[in-house]
Amino acid sequence: MKFDPKSYQTLVSRRAARSPILPNCLRAFAVGGMICALGEGLSHLYRAWGAERELSMTLVSVTLVFFAALLTGLGIFDLLAQHAGAGTLVPITGFANSVVSPAIDTKAEGLVLGVGAKIFSISGPVLLYALLSGALYGTVYYLISLFR
Amino acid sequence: MIFFDLLKAFAVGGAICVVAQLLIDLTRLTPARILVLYVSIGVLLGAVGLFEPLLRFAGCGASVPLIGFGAAVAKGVREAVDQRGAIGILSGGLSATSAGITASLLFGYLVAIVFRGGPKKM
Amino acid sequence: MQKPILFEKPIYLLSHASAVGGEEKKGPLGECFDFCDPSGRFGAKTWELAESELSRITLSLAMKKAGISHRDPDLLLAGDLQNQCVASSRAHACLGIPYLGLYGACSTSAEGLYIGASLLSASNTLHLAAVVTTSHFCAAERQFRLPLEYGGQRPPTAQWTATAGGAFLITDQIPDRPCAKIMGGMIGIPIDSGILDASNMGAAMAPAAAHTILSFFEKSRFSPSDFDFIVTGDLGYEGSEIMKGILCDNSFPLLTNHLDCGTLLYNPEIQDVHAGGSGCGCSASVLSAHFLPMLEKGAARRILFLATGALMSPSAILQGQSIVGTAPLVIFEGEETFH
């Protein structure tokens, strides 16, 4: 058979149908924007109830995490995310889904080595690199502060 | 006034999501890598002081996307170092984001206990 | 050396059965399957056990159809998509039938039929063999990709692992009713075409399918027009086009009678199938529900069947190892050929 793997890989990636970029971006914009606007609305509500700005932001995160977890449990989140793409992935809802989904999925393997061990299997990298870069920044900031 | 706040949050939050969508569709970066990229950028923006103005302008449009998570880590580390010195490097990041992380874990665990995974639909 | 084999005596498909989940039932062949559980659970607690149950149900349906529940097959060849083929061995552990677990990824259906037919053909003591292959979307997704509830977007080239099973009872003794026959086959050569993208399995399997087709027609007395249909297992829309392109590059005449099980199982008008169905239950259930009945009714007289497999594991993919494709081939004929 006449076949050259190198040119084949170029051919395959060239002919592979692209995701429909414009509709994907519009949906990501609409859904992602709506989640953020919902958060903003909630933060106004919490501030009206007497929470100061910092606390209201935390409460918004917790509320959005709660709804994302619930929708994940009801099996609605993944259907929404198939259309919304980055619109549900990038807000904190995506982080919540990446914690909740392996937890539900591994229930049959037990609460310790199933749920317990796998709950960070997708969100672990996000936490790791957030904290690593935080510690790196902290080190630089501390060293600079020594010489001020 | 509230309407403009909502609009700004919508526009900025939506735009941040569109950038991620473009990265997914055009570069074939996996979502996991994009999220790692986003939190790291968030830490960087928080560190160089660019996140605060964005937060003042867009509110939840800046804090709800994962960039906000990274920026919160940076802010937590900075404040902890200011208050407690070097140990803040280790303690600041997690304490600033502990509510979100613990909420995810707690709700995740509860949802896993209550719900049973259904078959995936097309 | 790769050689097509034609058996001295044909091996008869005494009976066969298919069982599917909900999405497959909604597809164009929905009414043709013997059994469906729309929930995909098949009465089991976990998805892994559901696949096992699917394997058990499919085989018992085929046994019932053959009317041989009093007689055990002399051997059982079964395969699924789970690690170590646990779904199959668990499903058939209590039957007391000699068993071999097979793994050819999505190509296991043709692999099993060819090995089974070869064993019957080569032996004077083995007369009845059972071949069962299954795949389950949820079990496969969990093992190879991400949690089911994870919200991600599938790229357009991704395929949907079918929740489906097919079971076949094959015998070397002439049955008392019109049956399809296995005339021979050829074992495929695994081909590494350097594809790294686990969501483009059609591209990983297409070179293997093209190679098997080219090699078969070069080495056998057949030409493509001798077959009513040249059926591939689960290249899907993407892989089918790529395979035709490779055949064209090798100056092989355009296949006008090519069909792919992965493109037949779902309805792209109403279902979000992306590049089509896949999994070793995809080709097995479509073969049993669609192609074998055509041979039995005389609507087709000879079919070339290549199941296509993409061999990979999650660790291999993360390590950047490329996906190796394989495509074993089986020749089916209907009763009509004799007349």
Side-chain angles (χ1 to χ4, degrees):
Chain A
M1 181 169 81
K2 260 202 319 210
F3 183 76
D4 169 37
K6 208 157 236 155
S7 58
Y8 180 66
Q9 285 148 38
T10 331
L11 168 101
V12 164
S13 52
R14 195 152 15 93
R15 62 154 286 131
R18 291 262 174 217
S19 309
I21 292 175
L22 187 64
N24 271 0
C25 286
L26 287 177
R27 285 191 297 244
F29 184 75
V31 176
M34 237 138 46
I35 293 172
C36 294
L38 173 69
E40 185 64 24
L42 284 170
S43 86
H44 275 276
L45 185 69
Y46 293 139
R47 264 177 281 171
W49 286 345
E52 34 94 25
R53 191 176 166 80
E54 193 90 345
L55 176 65
S56 78
M57 289 291 186
T58 307
L59 287 175
V60 165
S61 299
V62 172
T63 316
L64 291 178
V65 163
F66 172 78
F67 282 113
L70 188 67
L71 290 178
T72 303
L74 292 169
I76 298 169
F77 193 96
D78 57 310
L79 293 179
L80 183 66
Q82 172 65 30
H83 298 289
T88 47
L89 178 82
V90 170
I92 195 156
T93 48
F95 179 77
N97 171 254
S98 71
V99 173
V100 181
S101 59
I104 301 176
D105 209 53
T106 50
K107 196 164 102 172
E109 279 97 289
L111 291 179
V112 176
L113 290 177
V115 179
K118 300 285 169 59
I119 199 162
F120 279 128
S121 62
I122 306 174
S123 56
V126 173
L127 283 180
L128 172 69
Y129 286 102
L131 294 176
L132 273 187
S133 19
L136 181 69
Y137 164 55
T139 312
V140 173
Y141 182 75
Y142 176 72
L143 290 177
I144 291 171
S145 74
L146 285 182
F147 296 103
R148 259 202 316 244
Chain B
M1 196 56 216
I2 289 183
F3 175 75
F4 281 109
D5 283 349
L6 294 185
L7 195 67
K8 282 186 287 185
F10 181 87
V12 172
I16 292 173
C17 293
V18 166
V19 173
Q21 186 70 48
L22 285 172
L23 286 174
I24 296 177
D25 287 347
L26 293 177
T27 65
R28 312 214 75 169
L29 275 176
T30 55
R33 284 168 197 273
I34 289 166
L35 291 188
V36 167
L37 188 70
Y38 261 52
V39 281
S40 309
I41 288 174
V43 173
L44 187 68
L45 289 178
V48 299
L50 284 174
F51 186 76
E52 270 308 311
L54 188 68
L55 182 69
R56 271 198 302 277
F57 175 72
C60 286
S63 67
V64 166
L66 220 52
I67 290 179
F69 189 85
V73 168
K75 188 171 173 230
V77 169
R78 187 172 56 238
E79 287 173 358
V81 170
D82 284 342
Q83 285 163 14
R84 305 173 56 201
I87 194 68
I89 298 169
L90 300 178
S91 67
L94 262 185
S95 39
T97 52
S98 55
I101 295 171
T102 309
S104 299
L105 287 174
L106 175 71
F107 297 141
Y109 194 82
L110 290 178
V111 164
I113 300 288
V114 175
F115 292 97
R116 176 178 177 203
K120 196 159 177 119
K121 296 200 178 65
M122 263 184 189
Chain C
M1 202 178 105
Q2 191 179 27
K3 290 173 187 165
I5 302 286
L6 286 178
F7 302 135
E8 278 173 24
K9 285 187 301 177
I11 301 300
Y12 298 88
L13 278 135
L14 185 61
S15 75
H16 51 89
S18 54
V20 296
E23 293 292 348
E24 293 70 25
K25 183 78 178 168
K26 281 187 225 156
L29 299 175
E31 295 308 308
C32 309
F33 300 115
D34 299 302
F35 182 87
C36 167
D37 179 356
S39 76
R41 291 189 192 278
F42 301 94
K45 264 195 194 146
T46 71
W47 299 121
E48 287 69 21
L49 287 172
E51 181 166 2
S52 202
E53 220 15 52
L54 171 62
S55 186
R56 193 192 63 75
I57 290 169
T58 320
L59 178 60
S60 73
L61 282 170
M63 303 262 277
K64 200 181 281 173
K65 276 188 176 181
I68 52 148
S69 40
H70 59 281
R71 193 189 140 196
D72 280 343
D74 301 316
L75 79 149
L76 168 63
L77 301 166
D80 55 79
L81 290 185
Q82 288 178 37
N83 290 336
Q84 319 287 340
C85 292
V86 282
S88 303
S89 49
R90 166 156 309 279
H92 310 294
C94 304
L95 289 180
I97 304 172
Y99 158 89
L100 287 175
L102 302 179
Y103 192 90
C106 314
S107 72
T108 316
S109 53
E111 180 189 9
L113 285 166
Y114 182 67
I115 295 176
S118 303
L119 287 172
L120 294 189
S121 167
S123 141
N124 294 323
T125 49
L126 300 172
H127 298 296
L128 182 66
V131 179
V132 194
T133 60
T134 55
S135 54
H136 195 297
F137 177 83
C138 298
E141 203 68 8
R142 270 166 54 78
Q143 177 175 311
F144 289 107
R145 294 179 192 94
L146 286 160
L148 295 165
E149 290 77 15
Y150 180 71
Q153 264 177 327
R154 287 180 296 134
T157 52
Q159 291 178 255
W160 185 271
T161 308
T163 300
F168 309 87
L169 283 174
I170 55 176
T171 176
D172 61 350
Q173 293 161 334
I174 301 171
D176 50 7
R177 62 193 133 121
C179 285
K181 298 172 295 189
I182 299 175
M183 307 307 289
M186 192 174 81
I187 301 173
I189 288 177
I191 292 191
D192 179 2
S193 47
I195 297 296
L196 305 170
D197 183 1
S199 53
N200 195 352
M201 293 197 302
M205 299 186 288
H211 181 272
T212 301
I213 289 179
L214 289 170
S215 173
F216 175 76
F217 286 114
E218 186 195 306
K219 291 169 180 167
S220 74
R221 62 181 166 82
F222 292 106
S223 72
S225 57
D226 291 328
F227 296 91
D228 295 285
F229 299 108
I230 293 176
V231 180
T232 48
D234 57 354
L235 293 176
Y237 298 100
E238 183 75 3
S240 297
E241 290 305 311
I242 296 177
M243 181 194 77
K244 285 178 186 165
I246 300 173
L247 290 178
C248 180
D249 290 346
N250 284 273
S251 2
F252 191 78
L254 184 70
L255 289 181
T256 49
N257 47 358
H258 170 254
L259 286 173
D260 182 76
C261 299
T263 64
L264 297 172
L265 191 56
Y266 303 107
N267 182 352
E269 304 282 313
I270 56 165
Q271 292 174 299
D272 193 18
V273 294
H274 294 243
S278 71
C280 50
C282 171
S283 54
S285 62
V286 173
L287 181 65
S288 166
H290 186 56
F291 289 110
L292 292 180
M294 282 165 97
L295 290 171
E296 287 155 5
K297 288 177 197 145
R301 100 206 122 73
R302 195 183 283 137
I303 289 175
L304 192 69
F305 177 72
L306 301 81
T308 41
L311 303 164
M312 57 159 184
S313 78
S315 325
I317 291 293
L318 288 178
Q319 289 173 11
Q321 298 179 24
S322 53
I323 304 169
V324 173
T326 182
L329 167 156
V330 180
I331 307 162
F332 292 104
E333 273 185 15
E335 203 69 64
E336 305 308 304
T337 331
F338 276 145
H339 305 310

